[in-house]
Amino acid sequence: MEEAGHVAPTLALLFVLTCILIGIATQYFLSFVPVPYTALLFVFGLGIGLFQAVPHNADAFTDTLKLWMGMDPHLLLLIFLPTIGFSKAIGQEPHLLRKNWGQILTLAWPGVVVSFLLIGVFAKYFLPYNWTWPQALLFGAMLAATDPVPVTAVLRKVGASPKLLNVIDGESLINEESALVIFLALQQFVEGQPLDAGQVVLKILHLALVGSAIGLGFGLGTSFWLAWIFNDPCLEVVLTFGSAYACYFVAEDLAGAAGLLAVVVMGFSMSVLGGRQIMNRIKTEMHTFWE
């Protein structure tokens, strides 16, 4: 029951229900539209946001949006981020990762560096904000990573090569982390902390290398533990679920490294190094849960 100036917490379910109904309707009724499913959802989400800018009488829906917008964004991010990164990484085909590793790393690190530098130069000389170089480069780091979800959805529909899909998926996972690492390092510089260029480079190396090492350690440890569990798919799935959050927490909070990169490396290492002994035995349960 609502009081004056108070919104009932249960009203938050209205937003969840609306999102589910939109997803179902989009998948069922608009499957014939030659536009990726995720792009359509983006358009509908944008429409919901614009709807709030015009006068209307849908007070209940406005209240449910206020509940979600009032939530701490970091809390919402941390609920989903570790599992999303891990699920995408562990879902990669091990044999394709071994073959495409060089291409993936080339696109994800040097490619992102080139992208963020070009965007930074554009922001410095062509945008009317009079940004300093650190601010322009920070903007470049924000936009350097690409989102390949609509692209891969189209490629899967047209029957593209699995190798091409693996390169795009793998690169997209690592380029987000590499762009995040660059952003976090430059953010301290922009906020006024006394860092020179060498310290920025060391910060980037710390975020990337320590995060990768922690992810590799968690991946090997979890794979070893899973190898000693037999005929208990529920325990095995819950173990990977908990390990993903533990890996993110150790890297991000305790080590001051890139938590998302650690989780992705954990997923990659489990897929490549522990794939044979784990995935073949619990492949159905693991992939059903994580997808």
Side-chain angles (χ1 to χ4, degrees):
M1 190 171 181
E2 297 185 21
E3 302 175 1
H6 175 71
V7 179
T10 52
L11 200 60
L13 296 176
L14 178 60
F15 177 74
V16 178
L17 178 60
T18 302
C19 292
I20 293 173
L21 291 177
I22 290 176
I24 293 173
T26 303
Q27 183 73 11
Y28 186 77
F29 294 109
L30 299 179
S31 58
F32 63 92
V33 178
V35 177
Y37 173 73
T38 52
L40 290 174
L41 292 181
F42 172 79
V43 171
F44 287 131
L46 185 62
I48 290 174
L50 294 175
F51 175 69
Q52 300 307 306
V54 299
H56 60 82
N57 295 321
D59 295 333
F61 193 74
T62 299
D63 290 339
T64 187
L65 285 180
K66 288 180 179 178
L67 285 174
W68 284 93
M69 290 188 294
M71 179 184 294
D72 187 337
H74 295 93
L75 173 62
L76 195 62
L77 183 69
L78 292 176
I79 289 174
F80 295 105
L81 192 60
T83 53
I84 290 175
F86 178 76
S87 64
K88 292 292 290 182
I90 201 172
Q92 303 297 315
E93 291 292 338
H95 69 283
L96 289 176
L97 276 179
R98 294 188 187 99
K99 291 173 61 177
N100 301 329
W101 197 246
Q103 298 178 51
I104 290 173
L105 289 180
T106 301
L107 291 171
W109 277 104
V112 166
V113 170
V114 171
S115 176
F116 113 87
L117 288 175
L118 290 176
I119 296 173
V121 170
F122 177 85
K124 172 67 175 176
Y125 290 111
F126 294 98
L127 295 183
Y129 302 117
N130 295 320
W131 282 335
T132 62
W133 272 112
Q135 292 172 329
L137 292 175
L138 185 69
F139 179 76
M142 293 171 59
L143 301 183
T146 57
D147 182 8
V149 174
V151 176
T152 53
V154 172
L155 291 176
R156 285 191 176 93
K157 282 187 177 182
V158 300
S161 166
K163 179 180 178 180
L164 176 61
L165 289 171
N166 178 258
V167 170
I168 295 175
D169 271 339
E171 183 271 338
S172 70
L173 283 171
I174 300 180
N175 77 14
E176 291 174 353
E177 281 67 61
S178 56
L180 179 61
V181 166
I182 296 172
F183 175 86
L184 292 174
L186 289 173
Q187 183 183 29
Q188 297 184 0
F189 191 81
V190 172
E191 289 176 347
Q193 297 188 22
L195 298 175
D196 56 30
Q199 290 175 312
V200 171
V201 173
L202 289 176
K203 180 66 175 178
I204 292 175
L205 291 176
H206 172 80
L207 289 167
L209 297 180
V210 174
S212 299
I214 291 173
L216 181 61
F218 267 90
L220 294 176
T222 305
S223 298
F224 178 78
W225 195 346
L226 286 172
W228 288 91
I229 300 175
F230 298 98
N231 299 322
D232 196 342
C234 180
L235 178 59
E236 291 164 328
V237 169
V238 171
L239 176 59
T240 60
F241 188 79
S243 296
Y245 281 105
C247 179
Y248 189 94
F249 174 77
V250 170
E252 189 80 20
D253 197 71
L254 301 183
L260 185 57
L261 179 61
V263 170
V264 170
V265 171
M266 174 188 168
F268 277 145
S269 63
M270 289 183 65
S271 179
V272 174
L273 303 176
R276 294 180 184 176
Q277 59 179 337
I278 300 167
M279 288 304 175
N280 290 334
R281 180 159 46 83
I282 55 170
K283 186 173 182 178
T284 302
E285 291 84 357
M286 187 78 77
H287 280 258
T288 299
F289 176 80
W290 284 108
E291 289 185 12

